[in-house]
């Protein structure tokens, strides 16, 4: 019985390696293929979540004979090996690597521009999309037949990798290049919450009218970019998608690699949608410690909170953090029960309200002119209202009511693009 099962699996896997380009899922209404259905049924028996990148049997045949460009970073892995190294070992011809914020190897701090270079390990040209330009140029794409996008996202509007996706899609559309997306789970994909971005606040940390947690995987978001005509000049990018196997949006997902230097724990990733708002305040979010986005504090809160920490310069994470070398007092969320976030499906505004009320110098709380380590709160929130509501002493319930009907309309629109 067991010998027959393994023989069956081996036969189906061999068939999978011979799949044609038509068997890769495209768009929001992929054409079913009986061979794909068989493979999925085996995965369900195994019960193992597999990312798009891991399912090489579905896309290796499509790469054969093509010159490949790859948009990747340290999260682009198959097991413990980068997808670049894995595909090179399988004979794929990778001619260029494109790196987003933090660079391909992930050793640049947040907001630091990255220059073009050559990857030290492979010698392949590494083009920065977080330096002189944010999208591939015509010259960058001239010797590429197919682009591949494989970067882990965390499902938050102000996390810049979705902007990188948009810029790559626009460049591909403008230069008639196809984009193959190797999808990955969204660790914050179990909920949709926050105000919809006001177009007047469009910036590098928010381009499109989506909430703070958008509830989409990268591939789903790519379909939304095409479907809602959000790409520049309303161009459409030709995309193909390798879906996650055995995945749904309610599943907890622990990332195998930290998605960026300051999201270094599962706790920080789930707290990030709530705590990143503090980047637009005088409150430290723990940058300059090894616990970013799990602790909050400020030197002026001494006497009001017992917990404290001292931000230091940490290379590759935060060289000059807010309140560097000063003892900050505030809230320790390292042991906070993140299952509460999963259960409620809401961004936590109580910490923002609490610390604003506790801070003695109210006029300085949101004043980003005090430090270049502070961001613009309105751009982070995506609305001018939230700051004014906090100042006015509005309750969390009142604030949430102001997010409607925009949030409900977005949730309805989102359903058109779901793959899981």
């Amino acid at each position: 019985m067991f010998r027959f099962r393994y023989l069956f699996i081996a036969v189906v896997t061999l068939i999978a390696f011979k799949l044609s380009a038509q068997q890769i899922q495209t768009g929001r209404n992929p054409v079913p293929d009986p061979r794909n259905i068989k493979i999925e049924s085996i995965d369900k028996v195994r019960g193992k979540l597999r990312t798009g990148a891991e399912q090489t049997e579905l896309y290796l045949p499509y790469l054969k004979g093509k010159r490949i460009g790859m948009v990747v970073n340290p999260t682009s892995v198959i097991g413990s090996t980068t997808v670049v190294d894995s595909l090179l070992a399988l004979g794929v011809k990778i001619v260029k690597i494109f790196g987003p914020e933090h660079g391909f190897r992930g050793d640049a701090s947040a907001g630091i521009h990255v220059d073009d270079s050559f990857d030290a390990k492979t010698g392949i040209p590494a083009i920065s999309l977080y330096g002189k330009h944010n999208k591939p140029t015509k010259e960058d794409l001239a010797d590429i037949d197919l682009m591949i996008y494989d970067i882990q996202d965390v499902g938050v509007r102000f996390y810049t990798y979705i902007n990188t996706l948009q810029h790559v899609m626009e460049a591909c559309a403008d230069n008639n290049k196809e984009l193959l997306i190797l999808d990955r789970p969204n660790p914050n994909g179990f909920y949709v919450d926050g105000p919809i971005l006001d177009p007047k606040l469009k910036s590098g940390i928010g381009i499109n009218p989506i909430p703070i947690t958008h509830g989409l995987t990268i591939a789903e978001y790519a379909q939304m970019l095409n479907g809602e005509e959000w790409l520049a000049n309303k161009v459409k990018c030709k995309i193909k998608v390798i879906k996650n196997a055995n995945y749904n949006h309610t599943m907890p997902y622990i990332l195998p690699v930290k998605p960026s230097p300051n999201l270094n724990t599962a706790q920080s990733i789930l707290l990030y949608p709530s705590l990143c708002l503090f980047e637009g305040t005088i409150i430290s979010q723990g940058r300059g410690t090894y616990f970013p986005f799990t602790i909050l504090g400020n030197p002026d809160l001494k006497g009001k909170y017992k917990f404290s920490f001292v931000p230091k310069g940490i290379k590759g994470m935060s060289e000059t953090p807010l309140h560097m070398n000063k003892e900050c007092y505030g809230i320790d969320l390292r042991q906070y029960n993140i299952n509460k976030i999963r259960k409620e499906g809401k961004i936590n505004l109580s910490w923002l309200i609490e610390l604003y009320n506790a801070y003695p110098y109210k006029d300085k709380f949101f004043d980003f002119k005090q430090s270049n380590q502070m961001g613009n709160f309105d751009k982070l929130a995506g609305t001018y209202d939230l700051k004014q509501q906090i100042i006015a002493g509005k309750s969390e319930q009142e604030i949430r009511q102001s997010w409607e009907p925009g949030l409900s309309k977005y949730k309805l629109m989102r359903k058109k693009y779901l793959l899981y």
Side-chain angles (χ1 to χ4, degrees):
M1 177 69 180
F2 286 107
R3 292 178 61 187
F4 175 77
R5 180 185 175 192
Y6 287 127
L7 178 61
F8 177 73
I9 292 173
V11 170
V12 175
T13 302
L14 181 61
I15 292 172
F17 269 103
K18 297 181 180 180
L19 293 178
S20 67
Q22 292 179 341
Q23 292 163 299
I24 300 176
Q25 302 210 37
T26 60
R28 75 181 72 151
N29 294 309
V31 178
D33 184 280
R35 286 169 287 187
N36 284 348
I37 294 171
K38 288 180 181 178
I39 293 168
E40 288 176 1
S41 68
I42 292 173
D43 284 335
K44 288 175 182 176
V45 170
R46 291 173 178 169
K48 182 182 178 183
L49 187 153
R50 298 174 69 203
T51 66
E54 290 175 315
Q55 299 172 82
T56 53
E57 69 272 16
L58 293 182
Y59 63 92
L60 271 181
Y62 196 64
L63 309 186
K64 187 175 181 180
K66 293 184 174 71
R67 297 168 297 175
I68 305 298
M70 299 199 71
V71 186
V72 287
N73 75 352
T75 66
S76 314
V77 293
I78 298 176
S80 59
T81 307
T82 72
V83 69
V84 169
D85 294 333
S86 297
L87 295 185
L88 286 173
L90 292 169
V92 175
K93 187 177 182 180
I94 302 172
V95 297
K96 281 196 184 83
I97 296 168
F98 297 85
E101 183 177 6
H102 306 296
F104 166 48
R105 296 293 177 185
D107 50 6
S109 296
I112 300 298
H113 283 205
V114 182
D115 294 327
D116 294 347
S117 62
F118 289 87
D119 178 47
K121 183 174 181 179
T122 63
I124 297 173
I127 309 300
S128 173
L129 300 181
Y130 204 78
K132 295 179 181 178
H133 50 79
N134 58 17
K135 66 173 64 177
T137 65
K138 182 178 181 179
E139 291 71 28
D140 291 336
L141 298 176
D143 59 348
I144 290 173
D145 300 314
L146 175 69
M147 286 284 279
I148 295 178
Y149 188 100
D150 179 28
I151 291 180
Q152 176 67 58
D153 188 50
V154 298
V156 183
R157 184 182 64 222
F158 35 69
Y159 201 61
T160 62
Y161 296 149
I162 58 172
N163 298 345
T164 298
L165 171 68
Q166 179 162 349
H167 296 145
V168 168
M169 287 178 65
E170 289 168 351
C172 287
D174 290 341
N175 294 279
N176 197 29
K177 304 292 181 179
E178 187 175 38
L179 182 65
L180 174 63
I181 298 174
L182 306 180
D183 209 12
R184 291 182 178 270
N186 176 358
N188 284 303
F190 56 91
Y191 73 119
V192 176
D193 198 31
I196 302 298
L197 176 73
D198 183 335
K200 295 177 182 177
L201 288 166
K202 180 178 178 180
S203 72
I205 52 173
I207 297 178
N208 299 309
I210 61 174
I212 290 176
T213 53
H214 52 69
L216 300 166
T217 66
I218 279 290
E220 291 170 332
Y221 187 67
Q223 294 189 151
M224 184 178 285
L225 289 172
N226 266 341
E228 298 303 310
E229 298 184 332
W230 287 345
L231 300 181
N233 301 316
K234 298 185 178 182
V235 295
K236 294 288 180 69
C237 177
K238 184 179 181 183
I239 62 173
K240 294 184 184 294
V241 174
I242 303 297
K243 288 175 56 177
N244 300 299
N246 304 315
Y247 169 72
N248 65 65
H249 281 281
T250 64
M251 293 173 62
Y253 180 62
I254 305 299
L255 275 59
V257 179
K258 60 184 179 183
S260 53
N262 286 287
L263 289 182
N264 56 355
T265 63
Q267 188 85 350
S268 66
I269 291 167
L270 290 182
L271 288 173
Y272 178 70
S274 301
L275 268 57
C276 192
L277 288 171
F278 283 96
E279 289 197 329
T281 76
I282 198 64
I283 304 296
S284 167
Q285 325 84 47
R287 288 187 185 273
T289 75
Y290 291 101
F291 313 104
F293 295 107
T294 60
I295 56 179
L296 298 166
N298 179 285
D300 294 322
L301 293 174
K302 184 177 181 179
K304 296 190 176 184
Y305 294 91
K306 292 182 179 180
F307 171 72
S308 69
F309 60 93
V310 180
K312 302 282 187 180
I314 302 175
K315 185 174 176 57
M317 289 184 70
S318 185
E319 282 83 357
T320 57
L322 184 66
H323 307 309
M324 187 165 118
N325 299 324
K326 296 179 181 179
E327 191 160 14
C328 296
Y329 298 83
I331 302 173
D332 184 358
L333 296 170
R334 287 174 292 180
Q335 302 303 318
Y336 179 79
N337 184 4
I338 52 178
N339 286 327
K340 188 175 181 181
I341 297 176
R342 296 194 61 86
K343 182 179 179 180
E344 295 179 352
K346 295 179 181 179
I347 292 166
N348 189 311
L349 294 176
S350 67
W351 300 314
L352 186 61
I353 294 170
E354 175 186 339
L355 289 174
Y356 174 79
N357 290 333
Y359 190 69
Y361 310 110
K362 299 288 190 290
D363 58 327
K364 293 183 178 181
F365 191 83
F366 294 107
D367 183 8
F368 62 90
K369 295 179 182 178
Q370 298 173 86
S371 171
N372 59 11
Q373 296 302 316
M374 289 176 64
N376 184 316
F377 183 86
D378 293 334
K379 289 182 178 180
L380 280 162
T383 174
Y384 294 105
D385 294 337
L386 183 55
K387 179 172 69 179
Q388 298 305 322
Q389 290 165 334
I390 298 292
I391 293 171
K394 298 289 185 182
S395 68
E396 185 166 347
Q397 183 179 0
E398 289 174 311
I399 292 171
R400 289 188 172 281
Q401 287 175 349
S402 72
W403 297 348
E404 299 295 352
L407 186 57
S408 292
K409 288 182 179 178
Y410 170 82
K411 289 178 179 178
L412 184 63
M413 181 264 285
R414 166 182 172 265
K415 292 180 179 180
K416 297 186 292 183
Y417 304 107
L418 294 178
L419 294 169
Y420 311 97

